[in-house]
Structure formats: C-alpha cells, structure tokens
Amino acid sequence: MRMTKAIIKKRCKTLWLAFSMLMATGTLHAQSVVVDASVDSMQILIGEQAKIKLEASFDAGKRAVFPFIQDTIVRGIEVVDIARPDTQYLNDRKRLHVTQEYTITSFDSALYYIPPFEVRVDSQVYRSQSLALKVYSIPVDTLHPERFFGQKDIMEAPFAWSDWVPSIGLSLLAIALSVLFVFLIIRFNDNKPIIRKIKVEPKLPPHEQAMKEIERIKGEKIWQKGRSKEYYTELTDAIRVYIRDRFDFNALEMTSSEIINKLLESKDKEAIDDLKELFVTADLVKFAKYDPLMNENDMNLVTAIDFINETKLEVPAGTAPQPTEITVEEKRSKRVKIGLGIGAFVAGIAVVLILIYVGMNIYDLCF
C-alpha cells in the first residue's frame, strides 16, 4: 500500500513538472511580442496638441502592421499628423522595436477615453493598454466683461529703406540701359558714312632719312659694347635703304658686290671704293666673326656719311613738302551693324526683365 502511494506521488510530481514547463513555454511565447501605448500629456487646453506613442517589440523575423488611423481616433479627438515609423534593432539584431507617433488635438472640452490600439504581428493581434485624455476649455472671467477687447486694427509695417534699395538700384540701371538702347537704335538706323580726317606727314628725302638713322646708330655706340655684328648689320641696312630710295634699285635683296657693280655704272669710283671697303668689313664681321679695331669702326661710320653726302640730291630751300590733311569716308561695315543690332536687342531684353522684376517686388511690398 505504501509502495502504491509512493508511486502515485512520484507520478503526480512528474505530471506537475511537465505542466509547469508547458505553461512556462506558453508564457515565453506570449511575451515574445510587447505592445505599449503612452501619451506625453494627459491634460491639454482646447486647441493644444499632444503626442501618442505606440511601441511594439517582437522578433526580427516577424512582420508587424500598425493600425491605420485617418482623421480621428475617437469622436472629439482629431489626428493632426502621423510620423513615419522608427525602427531599431535590439539584442544583436534578434529583436525589433518599432515606434509610431500620432499628433492629436481636440476642440471640445471633455474627458476622452482612448481604446487600446491593435497591432498585428504576423497573424496574431496584440493590444496596448487604453489611454485617457482630459481637455480643458479656456477660463473666461464673466464677472469683469470690461476686460474683453475687440479685434485690433491692422498694423502698418514700418517703412524700411533696405526693402526698397534693390528696386531703386535696378530702376536706375533700367534707365541707363534704356538710354543705351535708344542710342544703339539710332546708330543702327543711321547709314551715314564715318568721316575721318587723316594728317599725312611728307616722307623725308633719302639722304635725310639715312643720316637720321646713322645718327641713331652713332648715339647708341653699340660697337663699344662688343656687339660689332649688330652694329655693322644696322649700318649696312641704313646704306642699302638709302641706295634703294636714291638710285631706284632694290639694294636690300642684292649682295654687296652686286650693289657695287650697279653703282659703278654711273657714279664716282673713289666714293664707291670706300663704300666697297665698308661692305667687305661688314661681311667679314657678319660671316667670318672678324673683330675690327675701334678706329676701324669709326672710319667705316665716316665712310657711310661721306658716301651719303657725295651722292645726295639737294632739295632747293622752300620746296620741301608740307604735311597735308586728307578726308576719308568709310562706310559702316556689316559687322558693325550686326554688333549694334545685337547690343540693342540685349539692352532691350534686359530692360524688360528688370522692369518685370521691379514691378513684382513693388507689388509684394505694397500689397
């Protein structure tokens, strides 16, 4: 008998342990989803706003659907805004915590009961706790009606120059562009030729032009600076230009020997022999790197001057040509007319745009 009681007692303990484990498993499964609702202020005045926070925690592998609320939660409580859900991962991304905020308000004073919110996780519905919201009306002192004031008149904004400076500045710019536009249009339509007066200076006689160039070479004294090649190049070029203008053949493109042979046809042989020595020395300096002595450079300069003086054509006094002034008429080119047309078009468009902007700005400031 005792043996039978002991066996029954042992079996009862085993059944109780199994039942406890089963209940614990159910409890853990039921607590895997947690839904909570709260309001940041349980008392508000008419027209004030409050926020309801709806939170749900569940396993990461599940999907939750929050309640869809349109305009009102209950009669008398209006929904102003619904924020986007905020999702956070917990426990090494094994759990999800989702928060949804609703901004509410009310325009009727009363104590409102807000029923539980329903959140569907997978196929199971979970409910939060219910909430309460007390809405108070603004107290009115009916015992002192003299304290009530009517609607105030419309206040005029103070005048500020800073608001008008852009419009004034752009208006002045529009006036300047308008003047430019009119000027360009007048110039575009004006087909009169451009009249210019040009003063023409007479050309110096060949010997005077050559002596002027030799005086420049003499004044620079470049042979004293070790630049003999440059000195003889400039000196012979001055002589060649003089011969071209004086004897009417292109000495600039002839060799030294060709020039001498051409001159020997009709001129003094002694003067030409001295010029020949000058050309020979110049060729040695330019092509054979010959370094002449100081007195040799001076002598060649004197030779060039003597040759010019011996072969020049004397101009009688009082017959030198005087400067003349000529009048030149130039027709306005097609390119200039196109430029004037483009300039007038751009100036006109700029004036129109500025006037539109200034008009809109004045309208905003005044109305």
Side-chain angles (χ1 to χ4, degrees):
M1 189 71 178
R2 290 181 179 177
M3 190 67 176
T4 302
K5 289 183 178 180
I7 293 173
I8 293 173
K9 189 175 181 181
K10 186 176 181 181
R11 289 179 177 177
C12 289
K13 288 183 178 180
T14 301
L15 291 173
W16 174 254
L17 181 61
F19 179 75
S20 299
M21 292 178 65
L22 182 62
M23 292 297 293
T25 302
T27 303
L28 290 174
H29 178 74
Q31 292 182 352
S32 63
V33 178
V34 178
V35 177
D36 182 52
S38 61
V39 60
D40 61 352
S41 180
M42 299 181 63
Q43 298 179 357
I44 63 173
L45 292 174
I46 289 178
E48 287 186 340
Q49 295 180 357
K51 291 184 181 293
I52 293 178
K53 182 184 293 185
L54 180 60
E55 301 174 279
S57 298
F58 49 90
D59 294 337
K62 296 182 179 181
R63 181 174 178 272
V65 179
F66 280 71
F68 177 72
I69 302 174
Q70 294 184 346
D71 298 331
T72 59
I73 295 180
V74 295
R75 184 175 180 180
I77 298 181
E78 300 180 6
V79 178
V80 177
D81 180 54
I82 300 176
R84 295 183 61 180
D86 181 24
T87 303
Q88 294 180 347
Y89 284 96
L90 304 174
N91 298 338
D92 297 330
R93 302 182 70 87
K94 294 179 181 179
R95 298 272 296 173
L96 276 175
H97 183 79
V98 182
T99 303
Q100 176 79 68
E101 284 191 352
Y102 304 90
T103 303
I104 61 173
T105 188
S106 178
F107 297 97
D108 293 324
S109 59
L111 177 61
Y112 294 97
Y113 168 75
I114 302 176
F117 293 90
E118 294 184 353
V119 178
R120 181 179 295 274
V121 180
D122 288 344
S123 59
Q124 186 70 29
V125 176
Y126 299 89
R127 293 180 177 84
S128 68
Q129 69 272 26
S130 59
L131 301 174
L133 180 66
K134 177 64 176 177
V135 181
Y136 290 94
S137 61
I138 299 175
V140 179
D141 189 0
T142 57
L143 299 178
H144 301 86
E146 70 277 0
R147 295 182 181 178
F148 291 94
F149 300 96
Q151 186 177 5
K152 292 186 177 180
D153 295 333
I154 299 176
M155 295 181 63
E156 294 185 359
F159 181 82
W161 276 106
S162 58
D163 297 335
W164 292 87
V165 167
S167 297
I168 296 174
L170 290 175
S171 299
L172 296 176
L173 178 61
I175 294 173
L177 290 175
S178 299
V179 174
L180 177 62
F181 173 77
V182 174
F183 173 75
L184 293 176
I185 290 295
I186 294 175
R187 287 291 304 275
F188 181 82
N189 294 326
D190 183 13
N191 293 320
K192 293 181 179 180
I194 301 173
I195 299 176
R196 296 180 181 177
K197 291 185 177 181
I198 301 175
K199 188 176 182 180
V200 179
E201 293 288 342
K203 188 177 180 180
L204 293 175
H207 66 279
E208 292 185 12
Q209 185 67 34
M211 292 300 294
K212 183 178 180 181
E213 181 67 15
I214 289 177
E215 287 297 327
R216 182 191 66 82
I217 297 171
K218 181 180 178 181
E220 291 181 355
K221 299 181 179 180
I222 56 177
W223 71 89
Q224 297 180 4
K225 303 175 184 178
R227 293 152 59 187
S228 298
K229 184 176 180 180
E230 184 178 349
Y231 165 69
Y232 278 96
T233 300
E234 292 183 2
L235 182 61
T236 54
D237 285 346
I239 295 298
R240 287 171 183 269
V241 171
Y242 167 73
I243 294 173
R244 180 198 64 185
D245 296 338
R246 169 66 180 82
F247 299 103
D248 296 326
F249 63 87
N250 193 2
L252 292 173
E253 297 182 0
M254 299 173 66
T255 63
S256 301
S257 59
E258 290 175 344
I259 295 173
I260 297 299
N261 292 333
K262 189 73 174 176
L263 291 173
L264 284 173
E265 295 177 358
S266 58
K267 300 301 169 187
D268 183 16
K269 186 175 183 304
E270 183 178 354
I272 295 174
D273 288 340
D274 294 338
L275 182 64
K276 183 178 179 181
E277 293 181 5
L278 168 61
F279 277 129
V280 170
T281 304
D283 290 340
L284 290 174
V285 172
K286 289 189 287 184
F287 304 111
K289 297 183 179 180
Y290 173 69
D291 189 13
L293 299 176
M294 186 71 67
N295 60 346
E296 191 174 358
N297 293 328
D298 295 336
M299 183 183 66
N300 286 322
L301 183 67
V302 172
T303 298
I305 296 174
D306 290 342
F307 174 77
I308 293 171
N309 289 329
E310 291 176 5
T311 58
K312 67 181 179 179
L313 288 177
E314 295 291 345
V315 179
T319 61
Q322 299 297 322
T324 57
E325 188 175 72
I326 61 175
T327 301
V328 179
E329 292 187 358
E330 298 179 359
K331 292 185 178 180
R332 188 168 289 124
S333 65
K334 186 177 180 180
R335 183 179 299 177
V336 173
K337 292 205 69 173
I338 293 175
L340 291 173
I342 294 175
F345 177 77
V346 172
I349 293 297
V351 170
V352 172
L353 294 177
I354 290 174
L355 292 178
I356 292 175
Y357 176 82
V358 171
M360 295 176 62
N361 194 28
I362 293 176
Y363 180 84
D364 293 338
L365 292 174
C366 297
F367 304 101

